[in-house]
């Protein structure tokens, strides 16, 4: 054991057990030396479990924080390395289980998956158009309203409408064609009024 000129012990010369005893007595420099000695092995162990370099580095940091908080619980200072590996193992399982459904967040993935919100003026315009269509439908006759509502708003097929209205499919097609023309005329007259 070397002593420097200021009568301090060089922590690099201490055994792991001696460093653990000092760390258990709240010697942060001793724990720092343990961190420096074990960090490469802990990062490698974390990498073998989480398979992502950034995650492994973050996991290693979390492991050392956990170890620093619980170091007083270690009864056999010589077993520090094995104890640390157990912490890595448990925390890696927790991390992998917790992040099982994590998705990549690189810019290309975000751009491909982001839903862009419409500009407020586009939203207002769409609402105004929808209100104009509803108003125009309300001005049509009952048969035209029923026909357009069944097909466009309720999503009925021509066959379903044929059964519902008790009319042949050709008649339903004609009713839709006529109702659309009347709706267009109503919308044009509404536009002209504005």
């Amino acid at each position: 054991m070397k002593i420097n000129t200021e009568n301090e012990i060089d922590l690099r010369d201490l055994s792991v057990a001696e460093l653990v005893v000092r760390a258990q007595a709240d010697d942060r420099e001793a724990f720092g030396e343990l961190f420096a000695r074990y960090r490469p092995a802990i990062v490698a162990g974390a990498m073998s479990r989480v398979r992502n370099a950034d995650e492994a580095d973050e996991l290693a940091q979390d492991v050392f924080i956990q170890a620093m908080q619980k170091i007083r619980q270690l009864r056999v200072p010589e077993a520090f390395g094995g104890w640390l590996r157990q912490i890595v193992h448990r925390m890696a399982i927790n991390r992998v289980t917790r992040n099982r459904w994590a998705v990549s967040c690189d810019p290309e993935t975000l751009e491909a998956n982001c839903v862009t919100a419409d500009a407020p003026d586009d939203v207002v315009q769409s609402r105004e158009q929808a209100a104009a269509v509803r108003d125009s439908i309300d001005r049509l006759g009952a048969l035209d309203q029923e026909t357009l509502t069944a097909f466009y708003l309720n999503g009925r097929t021509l066959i379903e409408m044929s059964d519902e209205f008790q009319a042949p499919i050709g008649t339903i097609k004609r009713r839709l064609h006529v109702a659309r023309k009347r709706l267009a005329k109503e919308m044009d007259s509404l536009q002209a009024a504005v």
Side-chain angles (χ1 to χ4, degrees):
M1 182 181 333
K2 293 181 184 174
I3 298 178
N4 64 19
T5 56
E6 300 167 359
N7 290 333
E8 291 183 18
I9 297 172
D10 188 352
L11 295 176
R12 292 175 293 186
D13 294 332
L14 295 178
S15 69
V16 170
E18 292 169 321
L19 288 169
V20 168
V21 170
R22 285 173 166 263
Q24 287 174 328
D26 292 328
D27 183 341
R28 292 201 181 262
E29 289 179 15
F31 192 84
E33 179 62 25
L34 288 168
F35 176 84
R37 288 185 190 183
Y38 281 91
R39 187 178 186 286
I42 296 309
V43 170
M47 182 65 181
S48 72
R49 289 173 174 81
V50 297
R51 308 238 187 267
N52 177 301
D54 293 329
E55 282 283 318
D57 196 47
E58 188 176 316
L59 178 60
Q61 294 293 328
D62 292 344
V63 165
F64 280 106
I65 290 169
Q66 178 86 6
M68 188 169 65
Q69 293 170 346
K70 308 242 180 200
I71 196 156
R72 286 194 182 97
Q73 296 176 4
L74 180 61
R75 299 201 191 287
V76 181
E78 293 82 10
F80 180 77
W83 178 72
L84 206 54
R85 283 188 294 278
Q86 286 299 320
I87 295 173
V88 171
H89 178 72
R90 282 193 317 274
M91 290 183 79
I93 289 171
N94 290 343
R95 185 173 291 256
V96 169
T97 303
R98 196 175 44 226
N99 294 336
R100 184 180 341 189
W101 305 110
V103 180
S104 175
C105 289
D106 57 82
E108 292 83 16
T109 302
L110 287 174
E111 187 176 323
N113 292 308
C114 281
V115 177
T116 57
D118 292 332
D121 55 338
D122 292 339
V123 172
V124 169
Q125 185 177 5
S126 294
R127 287 180 183 166
E128 288 174 355
Q129 287 174 342
V133 170
R134 282 192 300 277
D135 290 343
S136 297
I137 289 174
D138 290 343
R139 291 184 187 157
L140 297 175
L143 187 58
D144 289 341
Q145 286 182 20
E146 290 173 3
T147 303
L148 292 171
T149 300
F151 189 76
Y152 290 106
L153 300 178
N154 297 336
R156 301 269 199 293
T157 65
L158 293 174
I159 295 171
E160 291 170 336
M161 289 175 66
S162 174
D163 293 340
E164 185 178 329
F165 292 116
Q166 297 177 350
I169 291 178
T171 302
I172 299 299
K173 286 180 179 180
R174 185 184 51 75
R175 284 183 188 171
L176 274 170
H177 177 74
V178 170
R180 280 193 298 263
K181 283 201 175 270
R182 289 181 182 151
L183 178 61
K185 191 181 279 188
E186 279 298 320
M187 298 220 28
D188 286 343
S189 66
L190 188 65
Q191 276 292 38
V194 174

